[in-house]
Amino acid sequence: MNINEAITGRRSVRDYTPTKIDDVAVRQLLEAAVHAPTAIHEESWAFVVVQDKSLLNRLSDHAKALLNSGAPIHPGGLSHASDHLVAPEFNAFYNATTLIVICAKLTGAFVSADCWLAAQNLMLAAYSQGLGTCVIGLAVSALNTPQWKKEIGIPEDMTAFVPIIVGVPAHPTPPVSRKPPNILSWK
Ligand SMILES: Cc1cc2nc3c(=O)[nH]c(=O)nc-3n(C[C@H](O)[C@H](O)[C@H](O)COP(=O)(O)O)c2cc1C
């Protein structure tokens, strides 16, 4: 797969088979992530991998409960509560078998940029390997609570920036259209 096929073909996948991703595949994704550009070469990212089904289910429930309570889905962000997202049968991780959380210490203005660039590398690499991914912004608030940091191994002084689910897609995901680039100026 060439890079343009990966960029245009990647989709957020929201339906997965129960197949677990093996350790080799997870490590390949993390390796792709750490090749992202990084401000002043700080490589500030760090990763937590969660594959324990009961942990994922409990975390999904907590994320939905926070949303239900009107908490913003991301610090400083807006709440996007909807009936669909808080329905009892809805799983915030779409029953994916793996959650990778990209975390960092907030040491500078571009730390979150590092994490998001790493996230895109990871998602494109996953797509090129036939795996599906989806950013789960809904889980950010729950992940940054002291309870969940402790439970899944995020140090207190780190922030969870990007939760990404990874799994084997249950079926192909149809293309999602994009608006053309909004070019404000070209002088
Ligand atoms: C910051 C961010 C947060 C997101 N949070 C969620 C989420 O909580 N749940 C979800 O299903 N998709 C989430 N998404 C995925 C977007 O809905 C998706 O990228 C968008 O609809 C475009 O579709 P595509 O990724 O297939 O191109 C998130 C994406 C980003 C960039």
Side-chain angles (χ1 to χ4, degrees), residues 62-77:
H62 190 179
K64 287 164 58 187
L66 285 181
L67 190 62
N68 216 4
S69 72
I73 61 170
H74 188 280

Side-chain angles (χ1 to χ4, degrees), residues 10-12 14 73 92 94 116 134-139 176 178:
R10 179 215 56 83
R11 294 273 70 82
S12 292
R14 298 185 176 89
I73 61 170
Y94 303 100
W116 284 103
C134 186
V135 173
I136 305 296
L138 175 58
V176 178
R178 289 292 196 267

Side-chain angles (χ1 to χ4, degrees), residues 35-56:
H35 280 81
T38 166
I40 56 168
H41 207 136
E42 278 218 324
E43 301 180 68
S44 40
W45 40 59
F47 305 89
V48 167
V49 180
V50 186
Q51 294 184 307
D52 180 309
K53 189 72 191 149
S54 65
L55 271 181
L56 288 172

Side-chain angles (χ1 to χ4, degrees), residues 56-139:
L56 288 172
N57 288 343
R58 282 202 294 117
L59 180 55
S60 167
D61 287 345
H62 190 179
K64 287 164 58 187
L66 285 181
L67 190 62
N68 216 4
S69 72
I73 61 170
H74 188 280
L78 295 172
S79 170
H80 290 288
S82 80
D83 291 349
H84 149 73
L85 292 178
V86 295
E89 66 279 7
F90 175 72
N91 182 290
F93 303 121
Y94 303 100
N95 300 310
T97 51
T98 299
L99 173 70
I100 297 176
V101 187
I102 308 181
C103 311
K105 281 187 194 169
L106 259 174
T107 50
F110 296 120
V111 165
S112 72
D114 282 6
C115 293
W116 284 103
L117 288 162
Q120 180 72 342
N121 267 18
L122 189 157
M123 291 190 282
L124 292 178
Y127 179 68
S128 76
Q129 292 171 26
L131 297 172
T133 58
C134 186
V135 173
I136 305 296
L138 175 58

